[in-house]
Amino acid sequence: MRPEVQSFVVDGPLPDWDADEEEIDRRVKQLEAIPSPVTTEEAHALADCFGPDDCYGVAWSLVHLIETAPGPLPSVSRPGPDADWWQQTLWDRWGT
């Protein structure tokens, strides 16, 4: 996995709307530093980085980056009943 992706993944889920502007800007810069396309492995790691809301649209940028992976992505399992909205959205868009 490339260092840019590792850095993003290590910092965990995207913040929510209550985060300060500096934190959101920092995560946006991290996301923009990831060159596309991403690998299948990177896409799976990035898929775990969604926060509780759309983070002022940043989550949609993450979706679009994940979608640059060669697809459909293998071993994507159908989200369970407790899955969050983002996991369901990913399944709807690139599930197998």
Side-chain angles (χ1 to χ4, degrees), residues 13-30:
L14 289 172
D16 63 17
W17 289 350
D18 293 334
D20 62 39
E21 188 175 336
E22 292 172 4
E23 174 64 10
I24 294 171
D25 287 345
R26 185 182 70 78
R27 295 309 302 270
V28 167
K29 288 177 183 166
Q30 281 183 313

Side-chain angles (χ1 to χ4, degrees), residues 27-94:
R27 295 309 302 270
V28 167
K29 288 177 183 166
Q30 281 183 313
L31 190 59
E32 289 173 344
I34 301 172
S36 61
V38 297
T39 66
T40 301
E41 175 190 16
E42 292 169 339
H44 281 284
L46 290 167
D48 291 330
C49 293
F50 289 98
D53 57 39
D54 76 346
C55 188
Y56 297 100
V58 179
W60 282 108
S61 296
L62 181 56
V63 167
H64 297 307
L65 180 62
I66 290 168
E67 289 177 336
T68 68
L73 297 179
S75 69
V76 174
S77 50
R78 181 178 296 276
D82 296 335
D84 66 24
W85 189 86
W86 292 106
Q87 295 302 318
Q88 185 62 47
T89 297
L90 288 174
W91 170 259
D92 292 344
R93 291 172 70 101
W94 49 262

